[in-house]
Amino acid sequence: MKKCVILFVAMMVSVGLLFSQGVYEKDYDEFWKILDDYYPGTVLAEKDGLDLKALEEGGREQVKNAKSVEEFALILRNIAKKFTYIDYIDIALGSNGGENIGSSRNTPSHQYIPSIKTVVFSVKSLLFGEEYLSKVINSIEEVEHIVFDLTSCNSITNNLDPILSPFGGSWTYTYKGYAKSEEIAASYPDIVVSKTDKSSKAYGYGLKTALQRTVEYEYGEGTIEGKAKDAKRWILVGNLTGFGADYLASFAKETGWATVVGTRSPGNGTGLPFCSFTLPNTNIVVSFNPIVLDDGKGDLKTKTGNMPDVLAKGGKSALSVCIEMIENN
């Protein structure tokens, strides 16, 4: 009797593994279909030398041996890493934490330099209370320069209000970009879609939908008081300045809201949330930015990056270059 029970359990385990492997392979096919249909970087990666067929086949062999959803998700994450230099792909099992508004870890630290009447905010996330900046700035007697250090800010959020609203004013920001899917591009607010020019590099990258987005920011009088409201604003950037922070830097440069100093940032900030797809059998969520930006010179920002107003050269940090400019002003 014991042998029969053991044999039955072994058979059930084998059937379970075979079922799971079939499920993983189906979701693996769906994962690649999502990338082919919507992720803007597949053709670009292939043109840059990434062998997509070999990557897909190699992953498929690993999927055949996956014994858990976690192991399957890890395989997908390793594939996603191959595209990171173009644009981030997130692979999530349920809630993965992220940024939480009001969390103390999101609040910027600050330093006041009295000799140059400058306050420097080190910003790690854009999710902090809108009252924070004005509370700090209004507590300082003399402020002529305000610096936002975004060199280590890779904030997923696209909410610019904590930075912009304390200063008040009205701002209009327009940018152009491309997508694989007209349907997804058109689903975002403030976007007008058209057909990509067939002679453009974007069309050659498989991005057949062109788009333009215009955003209006209205903040009224603001909450910063006195002369500090007219202080010179600076934004510091680098290769780790991503997503929402990269978008803020682009906005600041194009509108003149601040002078941007540092090195090239990735150029992946669209000011829009990621699009997300749930794999039907494992409930793994695949998320990415479906839009890439035009760099204004005939190429994509994912290739050329965002160039600051003032380039930090000779190994100097963005902050040291900014302080030198303020001291020499």
Side-chain angles (χ1 to χ4, degrees):
M1 182 67 178
K2 279 187 177 180
K3 287 184 178 179
C4 290
V5 172
I6 293 170
L7 181 60
F8 175 75
V9 171
M11 288 176 62
M12 291 302 293
V13 170
S14 297
V15 169
L17 285 173
L18 287 172
F19 174 75
S20 296
Q21 287 166 355
V23 163
Y24 299 150
E25 289 185 63
K26 287 179 181 178
D27 274 8
Y28 187 70
D29 289 336
E30 182 64 18
F31 169 73
W32 277 101
K33 185 177 187 307
I34 289 167
L35 295 191
D36 288 341
D37 290 347
Y38 304 111
Y39 181 67
T42 50
V43 176
L44 178 57
E46 200 163 32
K47 286 182 178 292
D48 282 350
L50 183 62
D51 190 334
L52 295 186
K53 185 177 180 181
L55 184 62
E56 181 180 356
E57 290 176 350
R60 189 177 300 280
E61 288 303 310
Q62 296 176 51
V63 168
K64 289 178 181 178
N65 298 315
K67 295 179 174 57
S68 68
V69 175
E70 291 77 12
E71 190 174 339
F72 175 58
L74 181 60
I75 294 168
L76 298 187
R77 288 191 185 107
N78 287 335
I79 291 172
K81 286 179 183 177
K82 301 292 185 180
F83 296 96
T84 298
Y85 81 101
I86 296 173
D87 215 339
Y88 178 68
I89 302 173
D90 184 58
I91 308 295
L93 279 167
S95 175
N96 60 354
E99 301 164 292
N100 297 304
I101 191 163
S103 171
S104 60
R105 66 188 174 90
N106 293 334
T107 303
S109 59
H110 69 277
Q111 174 191 8
Y112 180 63
I113 308 173
S115 61
I116 52 175
K117 301 175 183 177
T118 297
V119 59
V120 180
F121 292 96
S122 179
V123 182
K124 306 297 183 184
S125 167
L126 297 180
L127 274 179
F128 57 90
E130 291 183 28
E131 74 288 345
Y132 173 74
L133 290 183
S134 56
K135 184 177 179 181
V136 171
I137 294 169
N138 291 341
S139 70
I140 301 172
E141 187 173 347
E142 290 185 287
V143 178
E144 294 184 359
H145 297 270
I146 301 171
V147 180
F148 298 99
D149 187 346
L150 305 181
T151 54
S152 297
C153 185
N154 203 19
S155 187
I156 296 296
T157 180
N158 297 293
N159 181 22
L160 305 189
D161 293 350
I163 299 284
L164 302 186
S165 66
F167 296 93
S170 301
W171 307 90
T172 301
Y173 176 42
T174 299
Y175 66 76
K176 295 180 180 180
Y178 305 94
K180 273 186 176 179
S181 167
E182 179 178 340
E183 180 184 1
I184 286 186
S187 71
Y188 284 106
D190 311 313
I191 280 184
V192 177
V193 298
S194 59
K195 299 295 183 184
T196 302
D197 185 341
K198 291 184 178 181
S199 64
S200 69
K201 286 187 178 181
Y203 191 90
Y205 296 141
L207 305 171
K208 298 182 181 180
T209 297
L211 59 96
Q212 179 170 298
R213 182 176 187 235
T214 299
V215 191
E216 302 282 347
Y217 294 98
E218 298 278 350
Y219 294 112
E221 290 298 315
T223 54
I224 293 176
E225 302 169 353
K227 293 181 179 180
K229 194 168 188 176
D230 298 319
K232 169 74 174 174
R233 295 185 290 255
W234 307 80
I235 285 180
L236 311 183
V237 297
N239 64 344
L240 297 180
T241 306
F243 304 110
D246 185 78
Y247 175 67
L248 173 58
S250 293
F251 161 85
K253 180 180 177 180
E254 295 301 320
T255 62
W257 189 87
T259 299
V260 182
V261 181
T263 55
R264 291 176 189 264
S265 54
N268 57 15
T270 63
L272 298 168
F274 285 5
C275 62
S276 296
F277 304 86
T278 301
L279 301 182
N281 299 294
T282 56
N283 288 323
I284 289 173
V285 180
V286 181
S287 305
F288 51 80
N289 189 345
I291 291 169
V292 291
L293 302 179
D294 186 285
D295 72 349
K297 299 177 181 178
D299 213 329
L300 307 179
K301 281 192 176 182
T302 50
K303 285 182 68 69
T304 62
N306 264 337
M307 180 65 79
D309 293 306
V310 180
L311 186 63
K313 300 178 180 179
K316 291 183 178 180
S317 70
L319 181 58
S320 65
V321 171
C322 182
I323 289 175
E324 282 180 16
M325 293 181 68
I326 292 172
E327 289 175 334
N328 295 330
N329 187 16

